[in-house]
Amino acid sequence: MRVEIWSDIACPWCYVGKARFEKALDAFPHRDQVEVVHRSFELDPGRAKGDVQPVLAMLTKKYGMSEAQAQAGEDNLGAQAAAEGLDYRTRDRDHGNTFDMHRLLHFAKEHGRQDELIQLLYRANFAEERSLFGEGDDRLVELAVEAGLDADAARTVLADPAAYADEVRADEAEAAQLGANGVPFFVLDRTYGVSGAQPAEVFAQALTQAWGERSPLKLVDQGDAEACGPDGCAVPHVPQH
């Protein structure tokens, strides 16, 4: 079974939702038969690269709330994260464009290190004092190496704006087709969708239901036909004339 997760590194509920989903997944009896794929979604796609501002300033401008309201929201998120065993800085975080991070995640997927990298990006953005946005490519390369990727290869990807850009845009277009206008958004076997950072119990129920309703393969019986198997290939007898 495949679970696809649309998310953005700048999304705190994606950070919390991933932890809740993984709690359910770890307890799922068929855990070893579930493939998890992370898909791209930008919450702020129009933001220019290099345009970095404090999270509180972004929230007050985007949502028209007061600074006190924005800080209260961050404090609530910090409590929700802590309940899942996650570190979360409720003060002095910043916000920026995540497109390069999504490109790098597609690169990491090709090398089997996508989950490692996305977790490091989340940690860097929400838990660490250093800015994820303020150091340019150097910070992203450093995290890529920590995830097990080659530094020069990661730097080459980041230096080429076209590298994996189509893959990011394709993910975002697919999210729109599926009706996902917010993240996190979980799709189980292209049959069930779960929106938001739901409790682990909801994810557990969704996993169980999706697994139980998988359709067995229906074969079209066309009679006996030649095929190859573990014992080799049957060689048809050709009469000698």
Side-chain angles (χ1 to χ4, degrees):
M1 184 167 71
R2 170 181 280 200
V3 178
E4 297 162 280
I5 307 174
W6 272 263
S7 58
D8 191 11
I9 302 305
C11 165
W13 288 117
C14 296
Y15 178 48
V16 173
K18 182 176 185 291
R20 291 175 177 171
F21 169 75
E22 288 175 347
K23 183 181 294 184
L25 185 61
D26 286 344
F28 187 56
H30 308 286
R31 169 68 185 91
D32 292 343
Q33 297 177 66
V34 178
E35 176 192 13
V36 178
V37 178
H38 297 282
R39 301 292 192 192
S40 302
F41 191 105
E42 294 172 276
L43 290 174
D44 200 356
R47 181 175 291 272
K49 182 178 179 179
D51 180 7
V52 181
Q53 69 177 142
V55 165
L56 290 188
M58 179 273 293
L59 292 172
T60 57
K61 181 179 180 181
K62 186 172 183 177
Y63 299 107
M65 59 177 64
S66 68
E67 187 169 318
Q69 289 173 319
Q71 187 59 66
E74 282 292 285
D75 291 339
N76 175 57
L77 277 162
Q80 299 267 1
E84 304 303 329
L86 301 172
D87 292 328
Y88 189 99
R89 286 171 53 83
T90 60
R91 302 289 190 279
D92 302 322
R93 288 196 306 107
D94 56 18
H95 177 78
N97 181 284
T98 58
F99 189 66
D100 283 350
M101 298 175 200
H102 286 295
R103 294 196 300 112
L104 199 60
L105 282 165
H106 276 279
F107 165 69
K109 179 176 179 289
E110 286 191 352
H111 294 272
R113 310 302 293 177
Q114 189 186 45
D115 193 69
E116 289 81 359
L117 180 58
I118 198 169
Q119 192 59 38
L120 288 169
L121 290 168
Y122 278 140
R123 186 195 72 189
N125 187 38
F126 293 109
E128 295 182 356
E129 187 172 348
R130 287 176 64 189
S131 171
L132 181 60
F133 301 95
E135 298 182 28
D137 291 352
D138 289 343
R139 182 73 171 119
L140 297 184
V141 170
E142 181 182 305
L143 293 170
V145 170
E146 190 174 345
L149 297 165
D150 179 75
D152 290 338
R155 196 175 294 281
T156 297
V157 169
L158 292 168
D160 178 6
Y164 300 96
D166 288 345
E167 287 82 348
V168 175
R169 298 304 184 209
D171 277 358
E172 294 174 336
E174 197 165 13
Q177 291 171 358
L178 291 170
N181 52 16
V183 285
F185 189 73
F186 301 76
V187 176
L188 291 74
D189 254 3
R190 290 299 171 110
T191 303
Y192 292 95
V194 179
S195 180
Q198 300 286 347
E201 294 77 14
V202 174
F203 288 121
Q205 180 183 359
L207 286 165
T208 299
Q209 190 167 351
W211 182 268
E213 295 186 12
R214 290 177 307 147
S215 298
L217 187 67
K218 296 180 176 61
L219 293 176
V220 178
D221 186 3
Q222 297 288 353
D224 294 332
E226 292 79 7
C228 295
D231 297 326
C233 300
V235 179
H237 176 68
V238 180
Q240 297 294 322
H241 296 287

